Amino acid sequence: MGAFGHYLAAHLDTLKSEFWALFVGGVANGLLYGMIAVGYTLVYGVLRLINFAHSEIFMSGGFAGYFVLRYFVGSGAPPAGMSSVGLIILGVLVGGLVGAIVATVLERVAYRPLRRRNAPKLAYLISAIGASYFLFNLAGKEFGHLAYSTPQPYINHPVFHIFGAPVQMYFVIIFLVGLVMFASLDRIISKTRLGRGIRAVAQDAETASLMGVNIDRTIAITFIVGGTLGGAAGFLFGLNFGVVYTMGFVPALKAFTAAVLGGIGNLRGAMIGGLILGIFESLSLVFVQAAYIDVVAFGILVTVLLVRPTGILGERLGRAA
Amino acid sequence: MRVWLTKAIVRRLLITQSIVAVIELMTGPAGSNSQPVYGFSHSFGESSSFFGLFRTQRWVTFFFVGLICWGVASFWISQGSRVRKSVHDALAFPRAATQKRPVRWGAMAVLLGFAIILPHVETAPFWQAAMVEQIAVYVLLAIGLNVVVGFAGLLDLGYVAFYAIGAYTTAWVTGALPTPALFHHALNPFFAIPVAIAIVMIAGIILGAPTLRLRGDYLAIVTLGFGEIITIFANNLYGITGGSLGSNQIPHPSIHLGPIKYIWGLAPVPYYYLALGFVVLFIIIFSLLERSRVGRAWTAIREDEVAAESVGINPLKYKVMAFAIGAASAGFAGVLTASQLIFIFPASFTLQFSINILVLVILGGMGSIAGVVFGAILIQTVTEFLFHSPPSGYQPQDLYIYLGALLVAMMIFRPSGLIPSKRRQREIRLSEAEHEGHLDEVLTGDDT
Amino acid sequence: MSDMIFNVEHVTLRFGGVISLNDVSLHQDRGEILAVIGPNGAGKTSLFNSLTGVYQPQEGTITFVGKNGKPLSIIGRKAYRMANAGVARTFQASRMFSAMTTFENVKIGAESHRGIGVVGAMLRGPATRRDEKHSDARTIELLKFVGLTEKANAISASLSYGDRRRLEIARGLATDPQVLLLDEPAAGTNPSEKQALVKLIRRVRDEMGVTILLIEHDMKLVMALAERIYVLNFGSVIAEGSPDEVRANPVVVEAYLGTSTEEAESK
């Protein structure tokens, strides 16, 4: 007991001194998880299906962004000022575009033929896993099996401090991009015709189809929206961690955890779930070795699934978005 | 020409050419970190032989292949049902024959005989080793995963965990891990067999009891995570597992029972017979189980869990049972691998591995023991051929690309596998037909 | 009162904010054919699911008296345990194991409520064989009882609606139940099938001694079959009595029959 008390006291001290630095990192990761989780949640909402290949959409966005920076920055000195801003915007756009393209192809090839036949759920899962496996291994063949470190499009200095903890440029970029993406997504889903269509299909596909909603188109758009956010997240992730063909697996598993945590099928839930997971994971670095951080996330996933499978905000896309 | 016809034909041309382009990428030269575009450009632009006639760029050759595929696809779509019917009619007699018991038993005896003499026919060291390490082990894993995926209908993506636990248990029991041996003094790997099977089955229960309450898709992702976690632990618990270097002092098995004395050494053939014996044993047990009330209960849960509960079946209990029983053969496969290779390390037990086994089950036919054995032998033999004499541009990792594509293709074109389990096939068709409303067709037609 | 088989006391079942059953109390005697009627959404199926362990009501008690005369509290028990305790059921939209034959469907009912020995099942020991023989015999007997002998080897998805009902009844009976709960057995059947069904249900009670509880929309069937009726509306019991009493009860007429008798009769 004494030993444990000592352990706890020492770690709580670390937690106190490191709290804000870890918190900032956690929020940044959480925003990324949230952006990926949106893809899971949207597709789940309309298809009642976990898109296992979403990790590869993220990965392709990462590679697309990498090539943009390789072309414009290369091995030169990191640009600054407006050219940094321009490069980030370009990277986000290209990453998002490639993510959307991969998502569309994926829906066409791996899901739509099964949907036409009303195949059993197991078939969807297996097809999705096959597609994921195919995509990341193909990326490995084409781009090599080693990690690339991304050329930096900006100088990563601390921009300001929160309670003494420095907030790096990288974090600022993620905050801004993440906020813009979430805000526009939320608006699209809750205010536009498109969003109404998605919500209608999510609530009751059959009725929506009778009411004149084009189901095929709505599903395709859902994949495009999810793919865009996933691809953009891939680019942002690659800025800091580099890109490699297997980069999708762990972040996607965590994003899925975030989606479940917030209530799968629930858009705001995905964002909130992402933030909670990111912060919790980051703070738990005080208590466990970095190698086990994935185990922590996985533990959260299993716990949520067993204790409250509907998540914090409840399932349904239609109701809470 | 009517307009819809041309439209469909153009569409089909585009589809076949896109598929061919993907195949071009899959089979082309690889890129690398220093030349990330090389793979793309040379997959299409590299000079290669045009059907042995002359040399031209790859894309020209493949374009023609695409045209041929387009022709075949067009023919198949207009005439396919007729061809299928005549093939079906022509196969009526052999199909009826395979339904007969003596024929089936006879065929199995012939196959077993062939398996027994095989190591004396094929004596190349490469193939003798492959028979154990790449074929027998995979057959064991495939028939085990088939219990989970095929019989109980549960998608387990972390099946490799049981194989890993089996292998590490062997190292533990034989005292080859940094941690003290299980029974305080090192045992012979032969005795690791029952211990590993028991431990793996217990692990199946421990993992299954909480997670098998989950819906199918959640179960898949949780088992996926679990497979990954096992690797993380194996990599990081240096004091227990030996970390990323694993263990390399596992002894070979031997028996000393009174007059019987036998030592398995370096040669693969004795391991082959050991594996063959266990393959036969597991096949017998699993097929008896399939036709017992346990098997019927699995089927009932798979087809309608609510109805199954209403007749007194406890779904969780039977699902956990499937997990534990399916794990048993993976446990033995782990012992076999560890004691033959004498070393194990975490990198051999990756996610790739679980998916690999899943492909064997899906290709052969979920729920069909004959199917998954055939699927495992087929894929693993092809894999070894590719490894032994690779065609130009082929790297061993490329295999996973093909396997992924194969999974998608199987789900689109033949979800019940090459040698389908009749019941599984019927279930899939019923579920599809309910939607389209041609139930009668499914119930009367019994083509394969 | 000693011969009560179900005793439901003050049961309330809620889903989020929606009250599905509101302070429901009812009871059924052993050997009785009891019907629960009410308009759509009155809570009939919720009651059924509460009796079979599918739903867990928040308030109240439900007691089931099994073969040994020991009262058993249902709330908190899972569906399969209720089945094993002697409560069998059919489903509104019949749920069969559709890729199995009729015979296999019933056989699963006959063997599932007995304990399992995995090792025995694997090795096909003599006990297992005896068990199988017993299940086969019981299945044949039940198929004969419901009149499906000729369709024993048909895939169950190919059966007509009427035959599916028979199959479900046979499968339920195969579990050796004390009480059989029928959820709208007449749905989707034609008039002649309906008549045969009435006869069959009566035989189940008379010849097998199984108590019958049914939910039904079809008033003709209820009036022909039930000995006592409960009327549910908006989750509450609004009337109880013999078919004639219920028919004459003004509350029932107003709440239910008044608006939908013609509709129900004309079906």
Side-chain angles (χ1 to χ4, degrees), chain C residues 12 19 42 47 63 71 75 80 87 100 102 105 122 138-139 166 193 197 205 213 222-223 227 244 255:
Chain C
T12 298
I19 294 186
L47 175 69
T63 321
I75 297 175
Y80 72 90
V87 180
M100 292 190 197
T102 309
N105 262 279
M122 276 193 248
R138 179 83 178 128
T139 304
R166 288 165 187 280
E193 283 176 329
L197 207 58
R205 200 265 311 259
L213 173 59
V222 172
M223 294 302 167
E227 292 157 354
D244 290 333

Side-chain angles (χ1 to χ4, degrees), chain A residues 234-313:
Chain A
F235 164 72
L236 294 174
F237 183 87
L239 278 180
N240 196 25
F241 301 99
V243 292
V244 64
Y245 72 114
T246 50
M247 68 187 271
F249 182 75
V250 171
L253 191 62
K254 288 181 184 168
F256 176 75
T257 307
V260 171
L261 190 62
I264 195 154
N266 183 321
L267 217 49
R268 284 178 193 162
M271 306 172 198
I272 294 169
L275 282 175
I276 294 176
L277 182 69
I279 294 167
F280 187 88
E281 187 188 69
S282 188
L283 294 181
S284 65
L285 273 173
V286 174
F287 301 97
V288 299
Q289 291 171 34
Y292 294 112
I293 207 74
D294 297 349
V295 182
V296 171
F298 179 72
I300 295 176
L301 174 63
V302 174
T303 314
V304 174
L305 283 177
L306 291 176
V307 178
R308 193 176 161 82
T310 51
I312 298 169
L313 296 188

Side-chain angles (χ1 to χ4, degrees), chain B residues 190 252-255 262-274:
Chain B
F190 198 79
H252 291 300
S254 56
I255 314 182
Y262 189 80
I263 302 171
W264 277 264
L266 279 170
V269 174
Y271 293 96
Y272 173 81
Y273 286 115
L274 180 65

